[in-house]
Structure formats: structure tokens, C-alpha cells
Amino acid sequence: MDPFVLRRGNNNIWHGIFPAFARLGIKHGISTRLGGVSKPPFAALNLGLHTGDEAADVVTNRQLFCETVGVDYEQVVTAEQVHGDQIRIVGMSEAGRGRSIYEESLPGTDGLVTNCKGLPLMLLFADCVPVLIADPVRSVVGVSHAGWKGATAKIAAKTVLTMQGHFGTNPADCLVAVGPSIGRCCYEVDELVVNKLQTGFPQWQQLVTERSDKWLLDLWEVNRQQLLEVGVRQDNISISGVCTACNTEVFFSYRQEGGQTGRIGAIITL
Ligand SMILES: [Zn+2]
């Protein structure tokens, strides 16, 4: 079976799911740009409040996305997302933070973890990598935002380690899903990024391809390697393999669309 499958909900919203997560009954989804009420260049299912789009449209889109995934919009928790590696443990007292007002999202945070049932965690993306994590044994879930800065700072691995430190998660029990993002086919980076990889990743040469005086970076592999390093099992990692820049009719791509575009959301709920 494909690691990632697109579905159309009754409300005309398209979103992707990972069957490995669905089998365990973990409510989750990666939105697309299909369905929704935003106008160009945010058409149509933009979930980002900080993009210049009409806030009321974004809120409607978020409600539609939550409805199709089957989670409670009122409880949704979001983060400011600053391309850092700070991870926050979220409890019921944070329910609804940033749901409809960006300034109320959790500040300076790029990773969220909770063990609260029914508390949806949501982060936003346009080319960066959504990483969803579920520990079905200890009943803990997490999500992280891994663009090149977060990925080279190993935020996905740190999210697993945060789950371990706070809730006793064994990384070998975790299921991890690596969602759609800009792929190695399209993601040109400069020397600075390669230098970062050389310091933190012994197998850095597997992560990049040299092209003239630039490099092409494989963010999926950067995430996969660091997850294996902390003890996540190879068989438990699902990689969507979908490039956002190659598929702008389905997903938003910051790089491909020159920065004026919407955001997809990745959501996970115990
Ligand atoms: Zn591509």
C-alpha cells in the first residue's frame, strides 16, 4: 500500500493520510490546496493566518480541514514557527491557542507534543517538511516543522527524544510520517547548508547532489537519518515522497510560487 494517500471529504476538502497511522486509529491529516474559500494567490485551502490572506477565509478553511479529519477545531493548538528547534509539551490549558489569531500561537516553537486525548496539534508548511510522530504504547503524539534549518538542527529527532524524556516513549515504538515537502528534485541550496550537514551528519554525502556550483538537498533523507540515529525503526517510517514544488496544483510551494502563496497544515490528535 502507498505510504501516503489523498482523500476527498464530503465537504469537498482534499487531504492526505498515512495508512500506518490510520490503522492505529490516530486522527491525522495533511491538507492540500484543494477545496476551501481563499482567493488567489492563496487559492483555495490556505491554512496560514500570517500570509496576507483574509483571516476569515483562513478560519473557514481551518474549520473545513478539521471537519474532514474529524477533530475539534475549537481545541486546535498552533505555534509561531520560527525555523528553530524548540519543542513544547502542550496540555489542555493551551487548547485553542493560535486557532484563529496568529499572535496567540505558541511563541518561538517548531515542535509540539501532547498526551492529551482529543487535543489537535497543527503546524503549517509551504515546502518545509511536516513530521508526524505517534507512540501508540505510551499514547503520545507530536508534530514538527523541519525545513533545512529545523532538519539540520534535528528537530524531528529532538521531538522523539522530548517524548522519551517526558512520557517514557521508547523510540522503537514510534511511528513517524514524513509529509509532502520540496524534494531533492527541486530543492537547490548553497554551501552554507552543506556545511551544516557536514558537522551533524556523518553520511552527509547521501543527503545532497552537486549541480554546477549549487547543491540539491534531500530533506526527507535528512529527517530519516536522524530518526534512525535515535532509535526509530526503519519499518516504522513512512515517507510520502511527494514534492510540493513539482505539484503546485495540489500543494502550496513557497519556492516555486515566489513566496506569495498559502500554507498546508499537518494535524495530529490522540
Ligand atoms: Zn520536485
Side-chain angles (χ1 to χ4, degrees):
M1 183 180 253
D2 283 342
F4 180 71
V5 183
L6 284 179
R7 287 184 170 173
R8 183 188 185 175
N10 292 334
N11 58 9
N12 206 31
I13 299 297
W14 284 85
H15 77 289
I17 62 142
F18 290 88
F21 279 55
R23 272 195 291 274
L24 292 176
I26 294 163
K27 286 184 181 169
H28 72 288
I30 309 278
S31 66
T32 66
R33 68 189 301 164
L34 306 174
V37 298
S38 290
K39 292 162 191 67
F42 309 107
L45 190 63
N46 172 34
L47 300 186
L49 282 167
H50 59 300
T51 51
D53 193 3
E54 294 290 334
D57 289 350
V58 174
V59 167
T60 299
N61 290 338
R62 287 180 171 193
Q63 288 168 332
L64 289 166
F65 177 47
C66 287
E67 182 185 306
T68 201
V69 174
V71 303
D72 183 0
Y73 161 75
E74 296 298 326
Q75 308 281 315
V76 168
V77 182
T78 67
E80 185 189 9
Q81 298 184 223
V82 293
H83 299 277
D85 66 348
Q86 292 303 306
I87 296 147
R88 180 119 163 214
I89 309 285
V90 181
M92 288 313 292
S93 60
E94 277 107 3
R97 287 281 298 267
R99 170 200 65 194
S100 53
I101 300 169
Y102 178 67
E103 288 70 24
E104 290 178 1
S105 58
L106 300 176
T109 300
D110 289 89
L112 301 172
V113 168
T114 193
N115 68 342
C116 295
K117 209 157 171 53
L119 187 65
L121 308 177
M122 181 170 80
L123 294 179
L124 303 167
F125 305 85
D127 288 340
C128 289
V129 187
V131 182
L132 299 175
I133 305 164
D135 170 6
V137 177
R138 298 281 180 159
S139 290
V140 186
V141 292
V143 58
S144 52
H145 167 231
W148 78 261
K149 286 185 185 166
T152 56
K154 302 193 178 181
I155 190 167
K158 286 176 181 171
T159 306
V160 172
L161 294 176
T162 299
M163 292 164 65
Q164 183 176 47
H166 285 259
F167 300 111
T169 288
N170 177 353
D173 293 331
C174 288
L175 290 184
V176 182
V178 177
S181 79
I182 193 163
R184 189 182 199 131
C185 40
C186 296
Y187 195 29
E188 205 174 76
V189 297
D190 57 28
E191 199 81 33
L192 169 75
V193 179
V194 179
N195 292 342
K196 287 258 183 207
L197 290 173
Q198 285 169 336
T199 56
F201 296 80
Q203 294 168 293
W204 68 272
Q205 281 164 312
Q206 296 172 6
L207 308 175
V208 283
T209 312
E210 201 167 359
R211 190 170 73 178
S212 55
D213 60 342
K214 290 280 188 178
W215 301 80
L216 292 167
L217 175 62
D218 188 339
L219 284 171
W220 306 330
E221 192 59 23
V222 176
N223 280 293
R224 199 181 67 87
Q225 281 193 6
Q226 66 190 263
L227 290 161
L228 294 174
E229 203 176 81
V230 295
V232 176
R233 293 177 49 230
Q234 165 80 24
D235 295 350
N236 287 346
I237 302 174
S238 301
I239 296 182
S240 78
V242 176
C243 171
T244 46
C246 285
N247 292 284
T248 50
E249 68 295 341
V250 180
F251 297 100
F252 298 109
S253 172
Y254 191 88
R255 177 73 67 100
Q256 187 66 29
E257 299 175 87
Q260 267 284 73
T261 191
R263 300 289 182 277
I264 59 168
I267 207 162
I268 187 162
T269 314
L270 262 178

